[in-house]
Amino acid sequence: MATFRLQGSRVLAVDMTGDAVKAKNGSMVAYDGQMAFKKMTGGGEGIRGMVTRRVTGEQMTVMEVKGHGTCWFADRATEINLVQLHGDKLYVEASNLLCTDAGLRTGTSFTGLRGATQGNGLFTTTVEGSGQAAIISDGPAVVLRVSQQYPLTVDPGAYIAHQGNLHQSFQSGVTFRTFMGEGGGEAFQIRFEGDGLVYVQPSERATIAGDV
Amino acid sequence: MPFQEINSKMIEATVQPGTKIFSQRGAMLAYKGDVSFTPNIQGGQGGLMSMIGRRVAGEATPLMTVEGSGTVLFGHGGHHIQVIGLSGDTLYVEADRLLAFDGTLQQGTMFMGSQGGVMGMVRGQVSGQGLFTTTLKGHGAVAVMAHGGVIEVPISPQRPVHVDPQAYVAHHGDVRNKLSTALGWRDMVGRGSGEAFQLELSGSGTVYVQASEEKL
């Protein structure tokens, strides 16, 4: 299995011995040894997955990198976070996914209203199986644990990914004051309940939620 | 070494009487002591002929001479800074990535085309960095700028290294470079993996790669 390690906080080094990884198109910065790069149509999930991605708008341009040696990946100097999966599922926006073990399955899932407030559409990408994945964030991300007693509420713009057995609901604090332009600026939030981990970045991307 | 890292985006240089530092014009953030900054119309050292050489090559980044005694803080545009130490070998770097360097280093320009024949010329065109590059030779330190952090990748005769031309920052040592293409019909119809051009570095030395595919 390919070994993922961080070199600094913004470069991912993957050591490969004949195995393969899936990575964001064009994210290779350097490699030694022998490597082959092949574009995977529609996220590498076959025709069905490709159609689903087209329909849901969770477009992902992915390449398969296979070979012997070390390959380094980076994307616009963003911070990289390693996630270990043990048969569970990771929910992440397609644009935040940098690299996954080739053995992990990717798919799409419905997110409901949360996606709409994030400006990312109503669907998100899922990664499932056992192995490693690398996700990118704008600034160093923190991992927050959610347990039965301690639910977590997150700004949709700062949310990047979550894993585990979590139930998410959408909260809106839109009141009369919001419409008068006197809102607190935190009108929309996502609440996570259950058991799992949520990855939060120290930056808020432009969202509809940020304007009210 | 006259350069000390304050944080990832700022360095402190120590200037002593009788020594010189060259830096990119306008990169001074603060200074202590009795230090003077003189704009260098020759864009470095080597006299009139090498100035003309640099002008022709398009490698003429405005430089200033820093002299006196004291300490100077340098930084530019919020870019990450990497200090590279040279012990007699040659560093190849684009002029606009140079933040500051030891006055004792020999500055020159090199025609990249001569290293890789026709492909060397193509390299310049693809990476958008021109056909010429600046060389610095001798014993001393150089501070270069990069978008995002920099990693050092060693090059050994058994293990050549391939670098994305947009992520390439600088290299030193006894290294040959050539542009390798993995262009297939898929790239022509716009379905390539996005890694069609790579810079192949072989020999022995070190290449510096930035964590981004954006130019400065």
Side-chain angles (χ1 to χ4, degrees), chain A residues 7-8 10-11 24-33 37-39 41 63 68-70 72-78, chain B residues 80 147-149 151-153 159-164 167 186 190-195 198 209-214:
Chain A
Q7 202 157 334
R10 298 183 185 85
V11 181
K24 193 171 184 164
N25 237 22
S27 61
M28 181 276 286
V29 291
Y31 71 86
D32 63 14
F37 301 87
K38 199 173 86 191
K39 182 170 178 175
T41 315
M63 58 179 179
H68 291 266
T70 305
W72 287 272
F73 299 97
D75 187 44
R76 292 169 295 121
T78 46
Chain B
H80 280 77
H147 183 236
I151 56 163
E152 279 179 44
V153 183
R159 284 198 97 119
V161 175
H162 297 253
V163 182
D164 187 302
R186 282 169 174 277
R191 287 183 44 198
S193 66
E195 310 290 9
Q198 288 143 22
V209 184
Q210 69 179 13
S212 169
E213 313 205 325
E214 268 170 36

Side-chain angles (χ1 to χ4, degrees), chain A residues 1 83-90 103-105 127-132 163-165:
Chain A
M1 213 181 244
V83 179
Q84 183 72 49
L85 290 171
H86 304 279
D88 50 339
K89 214 183 217 179
L90 175 78
L104 292 169
R105 290 181 304 282
V127 183
E128 201 175 0
S130 290
Q132 280 185 299
Q163 70 184 119
N165 183 24

Side-chain angles (χ1 to χ4, degrees), chain B residues 114-137:
Chain B
S114 69
Q115 263 211 329
V118 180
M119 284 323 267
M121 279 188 229
V122 179
R123 182 202 85 95
Q125 294 302 319
V126 171
S127 60
Q129 295 183 316
L131 301 179
F132 292 88
T133 199
T134 294
T135 56
L136 291 169
K137 193 181 178 185

